[in-house]
Amino acid sequence: MRGSGKSMVTSALLLCLAGAAHAADTTELPPVRVNATRLDIPPLDLPASLSVVTLAPGDSGKPGVNLSEALVGVPGLLARDRQNYAQDEQISLRGYGARSTFGVRGVRLYADGIPATMPDGQGQVSHFSLDAADRVEVLRGPFSALYGNASGGVVQLWSAEGGDPAVTRVGLFGGSNATMRLGLSTRGKDGGFDYNLALSHFQTAGYREHSRAQRESGNARLGFDLGAAGHLTVVLNTVALPQAQDPLGLTRAQAMADPRQAIAAADQFDTRKSVHQAQGGAVYELSPDADTQWRLMAYYGERGVQQVLSVPVAAQRNPLSAGGVVDLDTSYGGLDARWTRRAELAGRPLEAVLGLAYDDQHQRRRGYENFAGDVLGVAGRLRRDEDDRVWNLDPYAQLYWRFAERWSLLVGVRHSEVRFRARDHYIAPGNPDDSGGVSYGATTPVLGLQYRPGERLRFYASYGEGFETPTFAELGYRADGGAGLAFDLQPSRSRQGELGMKWRAAADWQLEAALFRADTRHELAVASNSGGRSSYRNIGRSRRQGAELSLRGELGDGWRLALGATHLQARFRDAFPSGTPAVRIPAGTRIPGVPDNYGSLRIERGGALGWRVGMEWQGVGAVTVDDRGRERAPGHVLTGVDVGYGLALGVAKLHLSARVDNLFDRRVIGSVIVNESNGRYYEPAPGRTVMLGAQLEF
């Protein structure tokens, strides 16, 4: 991937100039309403990096299993399908979140305005419904701090409103590795009531041994027009992962010898995970006049997780061991109240927001030995039993002012109070009472200035400060090996700056470019990882800086293009000790899991009826796999192609599709497990795979 950042930028500029040459014959695209900054600002006028990807499930040949399918062409974002449904997708934005070994950390997630990230900063996307989706918004850079704790970036999925006439879709996809997905969705409108309902079933034998998984999910979005009394939106969703096998990572030698294998411990302990989650939320909006709006959001959910790990039996002899089976019962909920007012200041338009957010998470955590006698992979003796609670209270304010004909200002501030409490119910010889708590607080200001030299061109500069607390997973063990939670950990604090340009080169061409830098202090890193215990420490300063480019437009004759390219340098700026025995990591070392260059490109032609064809390329540079930088996962470029045909069957439409991923059957590492204690860092991606689909719309 050497030189790939420069080549991607050059290609994008050439394509932009080519598109501008024929743009006189095109029509203006309709405006897209976005919610990224809680203000009614068109994406072009936002002094921040924001990508909005509209989705059309009926026209796509993709099965809609993973969020990464929808994010081709989005710069700054790296979404890795781990081919391991026991660990969820790996999502990072400008290097934030890349070091997460499971789930999503450092990036805030929302579905229909309802948090999919818990107050401690841990999130997951397994319940995101692409069948019901209308669009995905990806906010990067300083203004992400407006969302509070762990906001290295923000990813939001929005379901479509129901319309008239009603539309029902039934889709069946099947292909390599005994993969199958069945989806059913319907959306419509009846007077002041609209609905969007979606159900899906997914199953796969997995590319690797011991990676079978099954998932059922449902999503409902109900809208109620209450006339002068406002509008009510109700969102309900559920996801069940009855059993997802975990093949665990491989060493480099194992991955090269046989990328489809699972290590012996995966079979011995039958490593696996089961998840059941149900949640509901409601958003009430009231506009007493044309310039004022009140909005109240409330949500509640429950999530149960049981995971069997491969912690060796010998390691559990330590009286402080929590065992090898994790059993979590979590309830969570919250409120967000917001007031918006449009007015004038000095004769120029102004919009202001005042809000208050509260989120609460209560978790009953139990740990069991992963053996009973000579039987491995079962829940044995209780080794951990505690009540964990975290809550946050965040007032925030934002203001957008077009203080001159060509100038605008967007400012905001958020104050976060995050409190962790743990009550220990497991007290035994050598394992004392570990109850305790810690509180974190931070005020995060943001500011953006934009200049408009013309109707289609914008320049902007923005600055913001953010913070990220440890999650309960990182607080779980002390770095000194003692009893109790690591309440001595500090939150990491960041300062981000960005310079950007947005150009609507023609009615159907969009070019955006940004330079960014984020400096973080008190970065969290692994202190030690052995015997099933991962502990963390604050290590000092780090820096993530680079450039990104986004290009979307019409190439002519029905062809469309979407390109996203990122150059990123992520480095530790202070030396620190790592591992046991400790090895000193020098300043300037690369942050593991973060490539220097990555990007994606899609070119497609066609629509709902007739032939449709698409081609995709996704490139990722090499990444180091641990703090020491001793090993690297090599970079790669993968090619995918898809073809489809849509035909009318009376009032119905049938969409047939075929897709091939990794067309040239490259052997690649799809994702890495950063700082894995046994050197099993590597998670191989599948070779060439084929997916066939049929969707009936009526």
Side-chain angles (χ1 to χ4, degrees):
M1 291 287 290
R2 288 183 180 177
S4 59
K6 293 182 179 179
S7 63
M8 286 188 288
V9 172
T10 302
S11 299
L13 291 174
L14 291 174
L15 289 168
C16 179
L17 293 174
H22 74 271
D25 297 328
T26 60
T27 56
E28 189 76 31
L29 295 174
V32 178
R33 180 188 177 188
V34 298
N35 301 78
T37 58
R38 308 184 182 94
L39 291 162
D40 190 16
I41 307 174
L44 181 63
D45 294 332
L46 184 67
S49 293
L50 172 69
S51 296
V52 182
V53 181
T54 56
L55 305 177
D59 301 340
S60 173
K62 299 182 180 182
V65 175
N66 299 304
L67 182 64
S68 56
E69 299 173 27
L71 299 175
V72 176
V74 177
L77 183 143
L78 190 58
R80 297 193 178 206
D81 173 13
R82 309 181 68 166
Q83 295 296 309
N84 182 350
Y85 292 93
Q87 302 295 351
D88 213 344
E89 269 188 275
Q90 198 175 59
I91 295 177
S92 63
L93 278 169
R94 294 183 176 177
Y96 286 100
R99 306 176 72 197
S100 176
T101 56
F102 62 92
V104 181
R105 302 184 203 177
V107 177
R108 298 290 297 187
L109 305 171
Y110 290 83
D112 290 311
I114 296 172
T117 299
M118 297 295 102
D120 69 344
Q122 178 76 47
Q124 60 278 322
V125 296
S126 56
H127 66 292
F128 279 22
S129 173
L130 295 180
D131 285 320
D134 173 64
R135 69 187 186 278
V136 179
E137 299 177 8
V138 181
L139 178 65
R140 308 174 297 281
F143 276 91
S144 303
L146 290 173
Y147 287 84
N149 181 24
S151 297
V154 182
V155 178
Q156 302 196 61
L157 181 139
W158 296 92
S159 299
E161 298 180 4
D164 189 16
V167 176
T168 299
R169 293 188 181 96
V170 181
L172 176 63
F173 293 85
S176 302
N177 305 316
T179 298
M180 187 272 286
R181 185 181 186 276
L182 176 64
L184 170 64
S185 65
T186 184
R187 61 183 70 171
K189 188 174 184 179
D190 184 7
F193 169 69
D194 73 271
Y195 60 90
N196 182 346
L197 311 175
L199 296 171
S200 70
H201 168 83
F202 166 74
Q203 65 184 50
T204 181
Y207 166 68
R208 295 176 56 197
E209 297 174 4
H210 198 78
S211 61
R212 185 179 300 274
Q214 177 179 322
R215 184 173 72 197
E216 283 85 30
S217 61
N219 191 84
R221 182 199 179 279
L222 310 175
F224 303 87
D225 185 356
L226 306 179
H231 189 273
L232 176 66
T233 302
V234 176
V235 180
L236 307 169
N237 59 62
T238 180
V239 64
L241 199 70
Q243 181 172 301
Q245 295 177 325
D246 187 349
L248 306 177
L250 300 176
T251 65
R252 187 181 186 89
Q254 290 169 336
M256 293 301 102
D258 179 9
R260 305 194 70 153
Q261 68 175 304
I263 65 169
D267 289 317
Q268 291 170 354
F269 289 94
D270 190 15
T271 48
R272 63 196 184 273
K273 182 180 183 180
S274 63
V275 178
H276 294 84
Q277 175 177 301
Q279 70 176 34
V283 179
Y284 176 65
E285 297 173 299
L286 176 64
S287 299
D289 57 61
D291 297 322
T292 306
Q293 183 187 63
W294 293 90
R295 179 186 181 275
L296 177 64
M297 183 275 291
Y299 71 99
Y300 176 80
E302 295 183 349
R303 179 178 175 89
V305 177
Q306 186 176 75
Q307 186 166 13
V308 179
L309 307 173
S310 61
V311 180
V313 173
Q316 297 172 66
R317 294 174 185 151
N318 183 339
L320 298 179
S321 171
V325 176
V326 178
D327 192 335
L328 302 175
D329 288 310
T330 305
S331 60
Y332 56 92
L335 299 167
D336 187 295
R338 185 188 313 165
W339 172 79
T340 303
R341 177 69 178 176
R342 298 176 184 87
E344 288 189 353
L345 178 62
R348 304 296 303 175
L350 176 143
E351 186 174 356
V353 170
L354 293 176
L356 180 66
Y358 171 78
D359 303 280
D360 196 312
Q361 171 189 353
H362 180 265
Q363 178 176 276
R364 185 65 181 263
R365 183 185 184 103
R366 297 180 180 90
Y368 300 89
E369 293 175 343
N370 57 5
F371 63 93
D374 294 330
V375 180
L376 304 181
V378 297
R381 287 192 307 139
L382 180 70
R383 298 296 301 272
R384 187 171 189 171
D385 186 2
E386 65 190 39
D387 283 311
D388 295 333
R389 186 189 176 199
V390 55
W391 59 267
N392 67 270
L393 184 65
D394 292 26
Y396 59 88
Q398 298 167 222
L399 183 145
Y400 178 65
W401 183 31
R402 294 191 58 173
F403 62 90
E405 184 64 29
R406 297 182 181 274
W407 293 88
S408 61
L409 178 69
L410 177 59
V411 297
V413 64
R414 184 177 184 121
H415 180 76
S416 298
E417 292 288 340
V418 185
R419 298 190 179 185
F420 291 80
R421 293 291 182 270
R423 184 177 180 185
D424 191 4
H425 301 289
Y426 180 80
I427 303 171
N431 192 329
D433 188 344
D434 298 333
S435 301
V438 66
S439 297
Y440 302 113
T443 299
T444 53
V446 294
L447 180 148
L449 183 67
Q450 187 182 77
Y451 173 63
R452 304 171 179 154
E455 186 66 25
R456 298 181 181 274
L457 182 62
R458 305 287 189 270
F459 294 100
Y460 68 90
S462 60
Y463 170 83
E465 299 179 7
F467 84 115
E468 179 179 359
T469 70
T471 67
F472 262 120
E474 290 154 342
L475 292 169
Y477 299 102
R478 287 168 43 177
D480 61 6
L485 276 68
F487 290 130
D488 59 328
L489 291 177
Q490 300 181 54
S492 59
R493 300 294 300 265
S494 64
R495 295 181 177 180
Q496 298 192 48
E498 179 174 297
L499 297 173
M501 178 272 289
K502 301 182 181 185
W503 182 29
R504 298 301 181 259
D508 56 357
W509 275 96
Q510 305 174 15
L511 172 66
E512 299 184 10
L515 301 174
F516 59 88
R517 173 180 288 182
D519 287 323
T520 302
R521 64 184 188 275
H522 305 312
E523 178 94 20
L524 281 171
V526 172
S528 65
N529 193 344
S530 62
R533 292 170 59 101
S534 295
S535 61
Y536 296 81
R537 61 161 54 97
N538 295 105
I539 60 171
R541 299 177 301 161
S542 63
R543 172 171 289 172
R544 298 164 175 87
Q545 63 182 358
E548 60 186 29
L549 181 81
S550 172
L551 177 68
R552 292 177 180 269
E554 301 284 340
L555 293 171
D557 194 28
W559 288 94
R560 299 176 298 276
L561 172 146
L563 168 71
T566 305
H567 174 67
L568 173 62
Q569 295 179 339
R571 305 289 188 268
F572 296 117
R573 300 188 65 202
D574 288 333
F576 64 96
S578 177
T580 304
V583 174
R584 192 156 186 83
I585 308 301
T589 303
R590 290 179 60 174
I591 296 177
V594 183
D596 279 353
N597 297 290
Y598 56 97
S600 57
L601 167 67
R602 179 172 176 84
I603 301 176
E604 63 181 10
R605 185 180 189 272
L609 295 178
W611 287 101
R612 178 190 53 77
V613 62
M615 295 167 283
E616 288 181 6
W617 294 269
Q618 300 200 38
V620 179
V623 299
T624 56
V625 297
D626 65 354
D627 291 336
R628 304 181 189 188
R630 295 174 301 180
E631 295 188 28
R632 294 189 179 194
H636 61 263
V637 176
L638 296 181
T639 303
V641 296
D642 54 82
V643 62
Y645 187 77
L647 63 155
L649 302 175
V651 296
K653 298 176 184 177
L654 178 63
H655 305 268
L656 304 175
S657 64
R659 178 173 175 85
V660 180
D661 282 300
N662 194 357
L663 178 65
F664 300 108
D665 200 25
R666 305 291 190 192
R667 180 176 288 192
V668 302
I669 301 300
S671 60
V672 297
I673 307 171
V674 172
N675 287 317
E676 208 281 337
S677 60
N678 299 291
R680 300 194 294 259
Y681 308 111
Y682 304 97
E683 294 182 303
R688 184 187 298 114
T689 57
V690 178
M691 183 71 70
L692 303 177
Q695 296 186 82
L696 181 64
E697 177 183 314
F698 56 91

